[in-house]
Amino acid sequence: MGRASTRVTIWNEYRHEKDNPDVAKVYPDGIHEALRQGLAPYGFDLETATLDEPEHGLAEAVLDRTDVLIWWGHRAHDEVDDRIVERVQERVLQGMGLIVLHSGHYSKIFKKLMGTSCALKWREADEKERLWVVKPTHPIAAGLPEYFELEKEEMYGEFFDVPDPDELVLVSWFEGGEVFRSGCAYHRGHGKIFYFRPGHETYPTYYREPVLRVIANSIGWASDARGAAPWYGNAAPLETIRHKDV
């Protein structure tokens, strides 16, 4: 599944880490850098990009060399330039993979690709989350136990206003009793999209091995070989088809 040389760009809003001491303690170099270091052992070709860079770090040249884009955002969704969102959407439709993490559910790019509000209920508390693997045969579930737990996380609860996933890989349960579709796989155009729920900025979620494995597996799945490339446009004249040897 996937390729060791898969080119991955990790995009992070990178605001909380710079002005919230509690977040800086957990991710002193940013969530993007924690993910880069955590995913490095899997052999991917990794680079990072952040909101305040020119073109949000997502110039055409960057996206052209990106097989899979990872997206983490939270409080500055509205600051993402619509032109960049359209650029990312076009690349996804062409075949670039997209992994949307945690509060990235409310990003412009995820809402644009889903076509819904992507709204949900939430509760910020020191709350246990148990993630159940509900499709163990899926490549994203490779190497995972039946379930794994995060001792402290933010709760996301249903109803989650997204289209029904093409494949549902993980479901979360929280101490408050809520459940959530936390691992949702989609296809859009020629690209693959995976939404993965955990990752609140005040908890060390992105240092946990099962979480990194899910992300690494989703990179492999999203970058794996596609089927035949679609052909669009004016079809050959009928007379040409009638006289063509089959």
Side-chain angles (χ1 to χ4, degrees):
M1 180 185 67
R3 306 178 303 278
S5 59
T6 297
R7 298 166 298 181
V8 179
T9 299
I10 304 168
W11 191 90
N12 176 27
E13 189 178 277
Y14 196 32
R15 290 286 180 82
H16 293 291
E17 302 95 316
K18 292 189 282 188
D19 60 23
N20 186 328
D22 292 334
V23 179
K25 289 178 183 178
V26 181
Y27 297 108
D29 299 312
I31 287 172
H32 54 294
E33 181 60 22
L35 286 169
R36 189 191 68 79
Q37 293 182 20
L39 294 169
Y42 291 90
F44 302 122
D45 182 357
L46 300 159
E47 62 180 293
T48 63
T50 59
L51 176 66
D52 292 325
E53 296 177 39
E55 300 184 79
H56 308 321
L58 299 175
E60 289 185 2
V62 173
L63 291 176
D64 286 346
R65 65 174 180 262
T66 298
D67 297 313
V68 178
L69 175 64
I70 297 174
W71 193 281
W72 195 101
H74 186 200
R75 74 183 193 195
H77 297 310
D78 290 344
E79 295 183 40
V80 178
D81 193 312
D82 290 341
R83 294 172 299 172
I84 304 301
V85 175
E86 292 173 2
R87 183 183 296 172
V88 174
Q89 181 198 30
E90 182 179 357
R91 281 288 292 119
V92 171
L93 297 178
Q94 292 171 349
M96 182 183 73
L98 177 65
I99 313 302
V100 177
L101 300 175
H102 191 58
S103 47
H105 73 90
Y106 219 54
S107 62
K108 287 183 178 181
I109 183 59
F110 191 60
K111 291 196 290 185
K112 191 175 185 70
L113 288 163
M114 294 297 104
T116 58
S117 73
C118 299
L120 48 81
K121 70 176 65 167
W122 58 273
R123 179 174 57 247
E124 189 172 343
D126 292 344
E127 189 165 352
K128 181 187 293 185
E129 177 180 5
R130 177 175 291 180
L131 293 102
W132 288 92
V133 176
V134 294
K135 191 162 189 179
T137 58
H138 197 282
I140 291 175
L144 294 176
E146 185 179 27
Y147 69 85
F148 61 93
E149 293 183 347
L150 302 173
E151 291 304 317
K152 295 182 180 180
E153 254 296 350
E154 180 182 26
M155 185 281 291
Y156 281 6
E158 297 288 348
F159 179 62
F160 186 19
D161 186 23
V162 292
D164 289 341
D166 296 329
E167 298 169 297
L168 181 60
V169 183
L170 294 145
V171 169
S172 289
W173 166 89
F174 295 88
E175 282 189 84
E178 293 87 358
V179 296
F180 190 77
R181 290 167 289 168
S182 54
C184 303
Y186 297 94
H187 296 75
R188 291 292 184 271
H190 214 48
K192 297 178 182 179
I193 302 164
F194 185 64
Y195 172 75
F196 186 41
R197 197 220 70 83
H200 186 62
E201 65 274 7
T202 59
Y203 303 120
T205 300
Y206 292 128
Y207 298 110
R208 293 289 308 277
E209 194 280 332
V211 171
L212 291 169
R213 179 169 291 277
V214 170
I215 297 172
N217 287 349
S218 66
I219 292 170
W221 169 80
S223 65
D224 214 358
R226 308 302 199 265
W231 188 91
Y232 304 107
N234 193 12
L238 184 57
E239 291 301 317
T240 302
I241 296 173
R242 284 172 174 161
H243 293 93
K244 183 179 180 180
D245 291 333
V246 179

